[in-house]
Amino acid sequence: MTIGNWAFIDVIRNPEKHKDVFYDPPDGNIEGLKVCVIRDRKPKAKMHFLIIPTFLLQVYKNLNENHISLLEEMRDRAQQLVEELKNTEEGKDMNFKIGFQAIPAMMQIHLHVISDDFQSPHMKNKRHWNAFNTDFFISPDYFISELKKHGFIEVDDAHYNNVIKQPLACPICDREISPLSELMIHLEEFHNKK
């Protein structure tokens, strides 16, 4: 695991050094909060935010029934964020997705709030696309349900490693299109994605 994979942990351990990434609280003062909202430093769309716990919680296997209220708060804050963004000039006509990646690239559990335009210089490859446009992107309600039923989260790594490698496909018409640049052109030309 590279140092970059630990970046979110440094954000919560040393928020004063990372004030530029905080959306809420805007000053980065996370004392007394369970969750905070940060901007993704390599956004994969015009709007891309992360809801993260303000305490160390690195991986899904560390979750148990005591974390149900935390995941509910993360989900609720994500939904609130979508409403806030839709009340801005830039976000008023956008649609948003909320989810966890089945196999996150970064340590520290984080919930994505991302606009579905996927217009970004950081959206570079099939893995990036499939991470948000396949069942690799998991609803927080599914994780909450699993914790309520079983008391833990179990992720089938083999399954999701196959999902992330599947061919690129249009999320609207399911047509397989490769490379990513051609898929983006298809979306713009045939589905009026803006």
Side-chain angles (χ1 to χ4, degrees):
M1 188 150 301
T2 64
I3 192 68
N5 297 78
W6 298 88
F8 295 158
I9 293 171
D10 194 51
V11 167
I12 60 170
R13 284 187 175 158
N14 302 296
E16 68 284 353
K17 293 180 182 178
H18 302 280
K19 289 182 180 180
D20 61 311
V21 300
F22 279 92
Y23 173 85
D24 183 38
D27 63 359
N29 182 1
I30 59 174
E31 190 173 329
L33 300 175
K34 281 197 217 170
V35 302
C36 61
V37 182
I38 63 173
R39 293 170 186 84
D40 195 302
R41 285 195 167 143
K42 293 184 179 179
K44 304 302 186 284
K46 288 180 182 174
M47 294 187 162
H48 190 177
F49 296 86
L50 306 163
I51 315 295
I52 61 173
T54 58
F55 55 91
L56 195 61
L57 189 58
Q58 294 180 354
V59 293
Y60 301 140
K61 71 179 178 181
N62 292 344
L63 292 171
N64 60 48
E65 61 276 351
N66 296 322
H67 296 109
I68 292 169
S69 64
L70 172 68
L71 291 191
E72 289 172 337
E73 185 171 341
M74 291 174 74
R75 177 204 57 207
D76 295 347
R77 183 61 186 101
Q79 292 169 341
Q80 179 186 8
L81 176 60
V82 168
E83 292 307 311
E84 291 169 16
L85 296 172
K86 286 184 128 335
N87 283 319
T88 66
E89 190 60 34
E90 186 182 5
K92 68 180 182 182
D93 296 324
M94 291 189 166
N95 295 312
F96 293 88
K97 293 181 165 197
I98 297 172
F100 292 100
Q101 291 181 346
I103 304 172
M106 303 288 287
M107 297 296 284
Q108 184 65 2
I109 289 172
H110 55 283
L111 179 62
H112 293 264
V113 176
I114 187 167
S115 55
D116 70 356
D117 58 273
F118 300 107
Q119 297 293 316
S120 168
H122 301 290
M123 177 60 76
K124 296 180 179 180
N125 57 48
K126 179 168 64 171
R127 186 191 195 293
H128 292 160
W129 179 263
N130 284 345
F132 298 102
N133 291 288
T134 64
D135 68 348
F136 192 89
F137 199 59
I138 300 173
S139 165
D141 289 327
Y142 175 76
F143 276 5
I144 292 166
S145 172
E146 288 298 292
L147 288 177
K148 287 179 177 178
K149 281 191 243 174
H150 306 291
F152 62 90
I153 303 288
E154 190 170 350
V155 174
D156 183 346
D157 286 353
H159 167 72
Y160 288 111
N161 278 318
N162 285 330
V163 168
I164 203 72
K165 295 174 187 170
Q166 70 188 31
L168 289 169
C170 173
I172 298 167
C173 68
D174 292 327
R175 183 173 150 206
E176 286 186 17
I177 303 171
S178 191
L180 181 59
S181 58
E182 292 297 319
L183 175 57
M184 299 306 277
I185 290 168
H186 166 84
L187 288 169
E188 182 67 30
E189 290 180 354
F190 295 99
H191 302 295
N192 297 318
K193 295 286 283 183
K194 302 211 186 242

